[in-house]
């Protein structure tokens, strides 16, 4: 769990919420509980979009030089989360499981690294 902390309370809280929701979602997919997984996926889309909006506003307000690259990664990740919701809507649990694996191993790890760069920038601006 410590690996999700970047030192900015608002970001850290959102990361924890999404991490736990993704874990619950993964359990529901593996249990073949489509209805529960779909409800969680819809919540996940909302949380991801909300978090990315907050981060985007933060980057704009602070003049973060890496904003364009970071927001492009947000867009790619958001699209993947929407693909997950669609797979569950189609009751395609195999695809949903694959997408969850990609989100866990690639997209969110990459975004956490980007968020650490943003947190370092925020810390430097406060000094």
């Amino acid at each position: 769990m410590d690996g999700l902390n970047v030192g900015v309370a608002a970001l850290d809280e959102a990361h924890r919420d999404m991490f736990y929701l993704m874990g619950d979602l993964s359990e529901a997919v593996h249990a073949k509980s489509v209805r529960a997984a779909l409800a969680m996926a819809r919540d996940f889309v909302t949380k991801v979009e909300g978090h990315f909006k907050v981060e985007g506003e933060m980057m704009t307000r602070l003049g973060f030089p890496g904003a364009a690259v970071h927001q492009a990664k947000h867009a790619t990740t958001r699209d993947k989360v929407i693909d997950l919701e669609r797979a569950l809507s189609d009751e395609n649990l195999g695809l949903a499981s694959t997408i969850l694996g990609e989100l866990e191993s690639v997209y969110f790890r990459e975004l956490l690294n980007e968020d650490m760069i943003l947190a370092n920038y925020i810390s430097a601006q406060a000094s």
Side-chain angles (χ1 to χ4, degrees):
M1 186 56 88
D2 289 336
L4 299 177
N5 291 328
V6 297
V8 177
L11 301 182
D12 291 342
E13 182 179 335
H15 293 160
R16 279 189 299 277
D17 287 349
M18 288 187 292
F19 175 81
Y20 286 124
L21 182 55
M22 194 162 36
D24 291 344
L25 184 51
S26 183
E27 286 179 24
V29 167
H30 288 100
K32 297 181 171 51
S33 185
V34 176
R35 184 174 290 150
L38 182 56
M40 285 183 244
R42 289 180 175 141
D43 188 31
F44 194 43
V45 168
T46 301
K47 285 186 184 300
V48 165
E49 288 177 337
H51 175 63
F52 289 171
K53 181 179 183 208
V54 166
E55 267 191 30
E57 290 168 353
M58 186 182 297
M59 287 186 279
T60 299
R61 188 177 67 250
L62 296 170
F64 179 58
V69 170
H70 195 115
Q71 290 182 329
K73 290 179 182 182
H74 280 178
T76 301
T77 303
R78 184 188 60 247
D79 290 348
K80 196 53 98 165
V81 172
I82 291 169
D83 288 345
L84 171 64
E85 181 186 11
R86 284 189 190 126
L88 289 166
S89 290
D90 294 341
E91 297 187 17
N92 188 338
L93 293 173
L95 179 58
S97 183
T98 299
I99 293 169
L100 272 169
E102 291 172 356
L103 285 169
E104 292 169 352
S105 66
V106 177
Y107 294 100
F108 283 108
R109 290 195 195 289
E110 190 172 309
L111 282 174
L112 282 172
N113 289 333
E114 290 290 325
D115 283 356
M116 186 58 77
I117 294 167
L118 173 58
N120 290 336
Y121 181 80
I122 292 169
S123 178
Q125 296 301 307
S127 302

